[in-house]
Amino acid sequence: MSIDTVEREDAEAVLPAPAMLEVKDLVVRYGRGRKAASVPAAVDGVSFTIRPGETVGLVGESGSGKSTIGKAILGLQKVSGGSISFQGSDITHAGSSQRQELGGELRAVFQDPNSSLNPRKTIGVSLAEPLRVRGIPAAEARTRAGDMLERVGLPREAVDRYPSQFSGGQRQRISVARALICEPKLVVCDEAVSALDLSTQAQVLNLLADLRDERGLSYLFIAHDISVVQFLAQRVVVLYRGQVMETGPAAAVTENPKHPFTQALVAASPVPRPAEQAERRRLRESLGVRTAAAVAASAGGCPFSQRCPLATDLCTTERPALRTVGQSDVACHYA
Amino acid sequence: MIPSIAPTATPRKTALAKFSGHRLLTSPGGLAGAVWLAALVVASLTAPLWLPYKTEDQDFTAVLSGPSAAHWLGADELGRDLLSRIFASAAGTLGTSLITVIVGVALGTILAMTAAGAGDRAEGIISRVTEIMMSLPGTVIILAVIGAVGTNIPLIMAILGVLISAGIYRVMLGQAKSLQSQLYVDAAKVDGVGPLGISLRHVLPGLTNTVVVQSALIFAVGMLIQAGLAFIGFGPPIPQPSWGGMIQGASQHVYDAPWLMVPTGAVLALTVLSANAIGNALGKSPNATASHLPSAAIRRKRTADAAAAVAAAPAVENLPAAGQLSVRGLSVGVDGGTPLVTDVTFDVAPGTVLGLVGESGCGKTMTALSLLGLLPSGVSVADGQILWNGRNLASATEKDLEGIRGRDVALISQEPMRALDPMFTVGYQLTAAIRRLGKAGKAEARAEALSLLEKVGIVDARRILKSYPHQISGGMAQRVAIALALSGKPRLLVADEPTTALDVTVQAEILSLLRSLVKDTGMSVVMVTHDLGVVADICDNVAVMYAGQVVESGRTASILDNPRHPYTLALLAADPHANTAHDMPDRLATIKGQVPQPKDWPAGCRFAARCQFAGSACTTPVPLLPSGSEDGEVRCVKADELAVEGLAWLATEIPTHRVLEIVEKDMA
Ligand SMILES: Nc1ncnc2c1ncn2[C@@H]1O[C@H](COP(=O)(O)OP(=O)(O)OP(=O)(O)O)[C@@H](O)[C@H]1O
Ligand code: SF4
Ligand code: SF4
Ligand SMILES: [Mg+2]
């Protein structure tokens, strides 16, 4: 699977500025051997690029492969095909020592504020861990942990407390602090604000936006909520069953979705204005998208064909390729 | 869930202190076992100081004698005092059993941690190897070792440990794998912490409890096997006393001096039992049952107490119409302590949906649970009335509530899976509920279950009936949970964040389903949510809660389009859904600080510490007053002023100079 990555790397070297992250034809299968071959790939030929300072949003329903892509990038999940390169170097199959070298530059914030911090360790110990791994002395690591806590709006004294002593929003800010403590270039945020209340969610989103502006960070912002994604992301990638359905500028994808699935996704996201919401509901119902029942994707065809109101015979036999429609790239025969 | 927001002081405990202490002390068996083992070790180590005889002293007058004044437990075939020998050799015997424990548990744990951390292939190999180990005839191997090297007890016990480690590996593997899958382990991996570091720092501490429990159990096994070997003649070399040796000696006199076996055997049995008792005591996790819901007994007692308290309140006037819910001045609090919800008043007319919105910790769930008498233990209704169908549920007995719950008033929760028992099929649970609530026959109940599932929009209902909860998706599970709630034909449905865990596409379908159920059956719904979009979609009326109070209530359209309370303004300004990509601000509005804990509620407006418009008038208690828009009410002294001036909640900025300071410090 990595035979042709070498060529690809050479080709990339010619490009002027390397992308922060380049994902090409990524395939991830869970399980091994016969079992892996029998289930559809969790990620099936996904490509996208994140430029320095850019935030790319990854949206889709539960099980569409968003987290799997994040995990593959972070080296937490084995890649079955395709390539991932970070700042121009191939990290598709990077071992833990190569990861450790770039660990400081490529970091993560996870969803669940309850399990993303070890409940048995103090905040200080958790925050210092990434620094200690890099050989920074304990005293200095502790000071930096305190500084970083203040930056995310928590008191320095928090270093001696345990995660259970903080609210969900506070814990999530601690997770952000942990991710940013060693000056990363790219942060993978997997549902980083989904578990939070509105006002705390806004605090963390603002914090992520501020830190991006201050430090020129890039984010891969994974979320199921397209409105949240649209706040932070310049570009959006819409996934369905491990495949990219639509990708383009955030405003174009969210306000003028071209793919039937994106249309359904946008229409289903409720807005807090009753009259407009009633309108959206009518629109959603008129789209006639079939319910998300557990139907198997037809092999080879469009993965959305079982639910798509526009599906034809062509859709069930031929997988549509991404093609440019307006400002976006859309994988639909009829977009 | 009792709101816990701000850091609270929890005493620090090491992992070790956490399990041993109270669990051992609260179990009589475990305590007795621990006392016995400790006494045995102390007695054995101090034996030369107090024992009446030396272990090798021979009293030929007492050969093979039973208990006597000179030899309390009798003497063996060489006239040596049994009591002295048993106690003197206890430490040695326990020590050799400890070898099995250390080898077995250490090896098993290391194998489990390795398998859990090193990926599928390594796990496969290790599991194969341990399977082979488990299938080996242990006795034969040990006898072969004895044949080759003689009765070297420490070596034999070590080999036994190796054989046992396979079983321990099996016990540990699942737990190690679940610890490995925690997000904080992923986070550490991203940091570049190596597999060994992960195992030692993040996995091992979580295994401590199991390690201790297994050790106690293996310890008992080790002693038994040692004794068994001795009994068949493979005890330790004769001169040094050991329990094994004594049993071996006694086994040769089973017919002529059966007593000889009794003291050693009894002490051995007691010790084995002690080790098992300790293992059992430590293994019992005290809060394994759902701790968020009180037991029926506690609820019964509590409602009796609460009923007494609430009965003192003025008698109910003007009972509302059937199907109408009227909550009047409801207060919920920790028994004899802090209030959690105060003076909540709202009405839900038949066939309408009321939204309870607010951040977590504002008392939404407490209010909702009190409607069903399902408050967690230690929390109860302190004041007010919950009027439903002509009765006051706040003063109803548990027995009355049991008759109402699930029938007249039903609950669906955020975690649909929690409503479903993983051990039974969906069909079994649904029919059981239908039969319990409706007294229907088996076939009837099954038909009813099928029609309920179809009613909640499940297309292949027959297949779902046969499925186990883990085989269906979250959206499907929530539909099943709704079907379960509908099985009692409720007239009031309390829905606690029913769509929060679902995809927006599925959420939209569930909301449509609820809307049509309300329309078709005329039931009413109290919908707890933090999502203002959900409120806009389905609620007719809304009550915004903050810090245990309703701060604004009224028609959904007037509240969301024309909010009067600063908290509602702020929530809307913080919601990214309120904006489209084009008018998306650079920063969302936030509310500084966080919801205060109940004990920290100020006497004045509870929102004052976070409010952009707070002034001196806000420090006295603020009543809920008509807002002037339809029949809405608002709890803010400046509500009129804000409405007239059309003030908006501003996005606050983080002072960037502070930020730069910190960044510079980082670089230095
Ligand atoms: N460890 C695993 N083993 C086997 N299959 C898995 C595993 N993790 C995920 N999957 C499967 O891979 C697919 C993609 O899952 P993934 O977690 O990436 O989705 P997601 O888009 O992040 O969903 P969510 O929004 O629920 O987080 C799903 O079909 C899922 O069931
Ligand atoms: S390709 Fe066909 S089935 Fe797929 S989204 Fe387009 S119209 Fe629908
Ligand atoms: S009463 Fe005062 S502090 Fe409270 S919400 Fe109104 S303006 Fe703000
Ligand atoms: Mg995910």
Side-chain angles (χ1 to χ4, degrees):
Chain A
M1 39 195 142
S2 60
I3 309 157
D4 59 358
T5 24
V6 181
E7 286 169 27
R8 213 175 269 141
E9 244 183 9
D10 287 346
E12 259 160 33
V14 193
L15 293 170
M20 183 56 69
L21 183 84
E22 175 143 34
V23 174
K24 260 203 174 139
D25 303 326
L26 183 68
V27 177
V28 182
R29 290 178 192 283
Y30 283 107
R32 284 181 299 138
R34 239 174 300 131
K35 193 178 151 227
S38 66
V39 292
V43 176
D44 190 357
V46 168
S47 306
F48 62 89
T49 308
I50 304 179
R51 290 188 283 268
E54 187 184 38
T55 298
V56 170
L58 205 51
V59 289
E61 293 177 328
S62 174
S64 57
K66 308 182 294 293
S67 298
T68 306
I69 293 174
K71 284 187 178 168
I73 293 168
L74 294 166
L76 298 171
Q77 175 58 48
K78 247 184 79 200
V79 171
S80 318
S83 69
I84 302 169
S85 58
F86 178 65
Q87 296 189 320
S89 60
D90 184 17
I91 58 162
T92 319
H93 304 286
S96 82
S97 55
Q98 198 189 336
R99 289 269 167 198
Q100 193 168 333
E101 278 164 32
L102 54 88
E105 312 217 296
L106 173 55
R107 302 192 50 78
V109 179
F110 295 107
Q111 165 175 21
D112 185 0
N114 299 321
S115 94
S116 50
L117 293 166
N118 189 335
R120 295 181 191 81
K121 309 246 181 267
T122 61
I123 302 303
V125 171
S126 284
L127 282 187
E129 188 169 45
L131 298 175
R132 302 283 291 133
V133 171
R134 293 186 176 75
I136 291 168
E140 188 192 334
R142 197 180 149 85
T143 318
R144 281 178 60 177
D147 295 344
M148 202 62 220
L149 282 173
E150 287 195 334
R151 175 62 193 89
V152 298
L154 291 168
R156 299 190 86 82
E157 294 73 54
V159 286
D160 291 322
R161 300 235 178 87
Y162 286 86
S164 60
Q165 294 170 276
F166 294 91
S167 69
Q170 290 171 327
R171 264 181 252 172
Q172 205 59 338
R173 278 185 271 159
I174 295 167
S175 298
V176 171
R178 190 176 195 280
L180 295 189
I181 198 160
C182 35
E183 306 284 326
K185 298 265 173 48
L186 173 67
V187 182
V188 175
C189 303
D190 188 357
E191 303 280 5
V193 299
S194 315
L196 304 178
D197 272 323
L198 272 182
S199 77
T200 11
Q201 172 180 301
Q203 284 170 12
V204 175
L205 284 173
N206 284 345
L207 176 67
L208 290 171
D210 291 345
L211 291 167
R212 171 178 66 191
D213 299 345
E214 273 166 34
R215 304 182 179 197
L217 286 175
S218 301
Y219 291 122
L220 176 63
F221 191 81
I222 300 174
H224 65 278
D225 186 335
I226 201 163
S227 299
V228 170
V229 167
Q230 152 200 314
F231 170 72
L232 214 57
Q234 283 101 41
R235 269 183 328 116
V236 175
V237 177
V238 182
L239 281 184
Y240 185 77
R241 292 200 180 210
Q243 302 180 21
V244 176
M245 296 291 102
E246 177 162 5
T247 167
V253 173
T254 56
E255 284 180 359
N256 194 7
K258 296 279 193 271
H259 193 283
F261 173 65
T262 320
Q263 289 169 356
L265 195 65
V266 171
S269 176
V271 297
R273 287 178 297 263
E276 190 183 330
Q277 176 55 25
E279 194 49 49
R280 281 174 92 103
R281 192 168 64 221
R282 263 191 294 283
L283 172 70
R284 187 185 74 80
E285 278 159 10
S286 73
L287 282 177
V289 169
R290 275 188 284 279
T291 153
V295 279
S298 47
C302 170
F304 193 56
S305 57
Q306 303 269 358
R307 288 169 66 188
C308 182
L310 307 179
T312 62
D313 286 347
L314 176 64
C315 303
T316 53
T317 50
E318 198 176 309
R319 177 172 165 179
L322 275 174
R323 59 194 176 84
T324 308
V325 181
Q327 288 176 279
S328 310
D329 290 342
V330 185
C332 171
H333 293 305
Y334 301 103
Chain B
M1 180 194 65
I2 299 171
S4 67
I5 296 102
T8 47
T10 323
R12 278 215 235 167
K13 280 184 182 171
T14 64
L16 212 76
K18 245 180 249 162
F19 57 75
S20 43
H22 68 280
R23 236 182 275 172
L24 201 52
L25 294 181
T26 49
S27 145
L31 185 62
V35 169
W36 169 253
L37 280 188
L40 205 56
V41 171
V42 171
S44 172
L45 295 176
T46 60
L49 303 178
W50 63 274
L51 279 177
Y53 303 90
K54 287 217 186 65
T55 53
E56 62 283 1
D57 283 354
Q58 297 185 353
D59 174 357
F60 291 110
T61 62
V63 168
L64 292 178
S65 67
S68 65
H71 302 280
W72 290 359
L73 294 180
D76 67 4
E77 71 276 13
L78 296 175
R80 295 173 299 193
D81 182 51
L82 273 184
L83 178 74
S84 305
R85 288 178 66 81
I86 288 175
F87 278 94
S89 61
T93 310
L94 300 187
T96 42
S97 302
L98 215 49
I99 295 177
T100 310
V101 172
I102 291 169
V103 172
V105 175
L107 194 58
T109 311
I110 290 170
L111 284 177
M113 290 198 304
T114 314
D120 290 354
R121 174 150 332 148
E123 187 197 325
I125 294 171
I126 295 178
S127 294
R128 274 318 87 66
V129 171
T130 54
E131 274 160 26
I132 294 172
M133 275 163 75
M134 286 175 81
S135 66
L136 291 178
T139 336
V140 174
I141 291 183
I142 287 179
L143 292 182
V145 171
I146 293 175
V149 301
T151 48
N152 179 340
I153 295 294
L155 179 66
I156 292 172
M157 296 311 280
I159 290 172
L160 181 63
V162 174
L163 293 173
I164 284 181
S165 68
I168 297 182
Y169 161 81
R170 290 225 141 160
V171 174
M172 298 279 201
L173 181 63
Q175 207 180 349
K177 277 172 84 172
S178 101
L179 287 166
Q180 274 283 355
S181 69
Q182 295 289 316
L183 287 176
Y184 56 79
V185 169
D186 279 355
K189 282 185 196 159
V190 174
D191 289 342
V193 179
L196 185 64
I198 301 263
S199 291
L200 293 182
R201 294 167 55 85
H202 296 290
V203 178
L204 187 57
L207 291 175
T208 347
N209 201 24
T210 318
V211 165
V212 172
V213 171
Q214 288 299 316
S215 299
L217 299 178
I218 299 302
F219 185 60
V221 171
M223 268 185 302
L224 276 179
I225 292 194
Q226 212 176 341
L229 281 175
F231 190 79
I232 56 172
F234 298 108
I238 300 303
Q240 16 159 317
S242 72
W243 293 359
M246 280 182 271
I247 288 175
Q248 185 172 354
S251 70
Q252 286 156 16
H253 296 276
V254 185
Y255 299 108
D256 53 333
W259 168 257
L260 200 49
M261 188 65 88
V262 174
T264 324
V267 170
L268 177 74
L270 260 181
T271 311
V272 167
L273 285 177
S274 298
N276 277 324
I278 292 175
N280 287 338
L282 295 177
K284 236 182 274 157
S285 58
N287 298 320
T289 49
S291 57
H292 64 286
L293 291 181
S295 72
I298 296 177
R299 279 205 310 265
R300 219 161 275 145
K301 175 181 172 313
R302 196 182 53 233
T303 26
D305 294 351
V310 180
V316 180
E317 308 140 26
N318 310 336
L319 278 179
Q324 161 102 15
L325 174 73
S326 288
V327 174
R328 296 269 161 273
L330 177 72
S331 293
V332 175
V334 178
D335 294 338
T338 345
L340 301 174
V341 168
T342 55
D343 195 18
V344 164
T345 295
F346 57 78
D347 290 288
V348 188
T352 65
V353 182
L354 172 83
L356 284 180
V357 276
E359 291 171 276
S360 69
C362 281
K364 307 183 299 283
T365 296
M366 285 298 154
T367 306
L369 290 180
S370 67
L371 302 179
L372 292 117
L374 279 178
L375 289 169
S377 58
V379 177
S380 56
V381 173
D383 198 4
Q385 297 165 337
I386 300 168
L387 305 176
W388 169 250
N389 265 355
R391 35 214 299 208
N392 182 1
L393 300 188
S395 61
T397 62
E398 174 63 17
K399 196 154 176 293
D400 288 343
L401 286 171
E402 269 166 15
I404 293 170
R405 220 182 277 142
R407 293 187 169 81
D408 233 13
V409 185
L411 173 74
I412 53 178
S413 71
Q414 173 168 359
E415 286 293 333
M417 288 298 181
R418 221 148 91 181
L420 301 173
D421 188 329
M423 304 296 291
F424 299 100
T425 62
V426 166
Y428 177 86
Q429 299 185 52
L430 208 48
T431 45
I434 293 167
R435 296 185 64 187
R436 192 172 62 245
L437 296 168
K439 310 252 179 324
K442 212 171 192 169
E444 238 175 288
R446 216 174 156 74
E448 168 98 29
L450 209 57
S451 87
L452 274 177
L453 286 188
E454 276 159 10
K455 201 163 166 184
V456 297
I458 292 178
V459 190
D460 45 355
R462 269 168 215 287
R463 184 176 64 82
I464 297 295
L465 274 182
K466 287 197 212 95
S467 310
Y468 285 89
H470 68 89
Q471 294 170 323
I472 59 182
S473 68
M476 203 63 93
Q478 191 58 288
R479 284 174 200 266
V480 171
I482 293 175
L484 209 53
L486 292 180
S487 63
K489 304 196 173 57
R491 291 205 286 156
L492 173 64
L493 182 66
V494 178
D496 189 359
E497 305 262 11
T499 58
T500 305
L502 306 176
D503 276 319
V504 281
T505 43
V506 184
Q507 165 173 289
E509 289 166 9
I510 297 281
L511 291 178
S512 294
L513 166 65
L514 285 176
R515 188 179 303 102
S516 65
L517 287 172
V518 166
K519 205 167 125 229
D520 297 347
T521 66
M523 74 175 180
S524 37
V525 180
V526 173
M527 167 85 90
V528 174
T529 178
H530 65 275
D531 188 333
L532 297 170
V534 170
V535 173
D537 188 78
I538 196 170
C539 297
D540 301 294
N541 297 293
V542 56
V544 183
M545 290 192 69
Y546 185 77
Q549 283 176 326
V550 173
V551 292
E552 179 164 18
S553 66
R555 309 277 314 158
T556 301
S558 61
I559 299 230
L560 291 185
D561 291 338
N562 197 5
R564 293 297 175 89
H565 195 281
Y567 181 60
T568 321
L569 279 174
L571 281 183
L572 281 163
D575 190 348
H577 298 86
N579 305 284
T580 56
H582 279 112
D583 56 13
M584 189 61 91
D586 285 345
R587 316 184 86 254
L588 294 163
T590 60
I591 314 177
K592 67 178 181 220
Q594 48 193 294
V595 184
Q597 282 206 292
K599 63 177 170 49
D600 301 328
W601 289 342
C605 173
R606 291 182 189 163
F607 189 54
R610 308 176 70 190
C611 182
Q612 288 183 350
F613 312 112
S616 55
C618 308
T619 52
T620 50
V622 185
L624 194 59
L625 294 173
S627 66
S629 108
E630 296 184 54
D631 50 358
E633 290 184 307
V634 62
R635 194 188 289 275
C636 171
V637 292
K638 298 199 176 167
D640 292 340
E641 205 178 311
L642 296 179
V644 172
E645 294 177 22
L647 287 181
W649 187 271
L650 299 172
T652 46
E653 296 293 332
I654 290 187
T656 32
H657 64 271
R658 274 256 334 277
V659 171
L660 291 178
E661 269 169 35
I662 293 164
V663 174
E664 275 160 19
K665 222 189 288 169
D666 267 0
M667 311 257 236

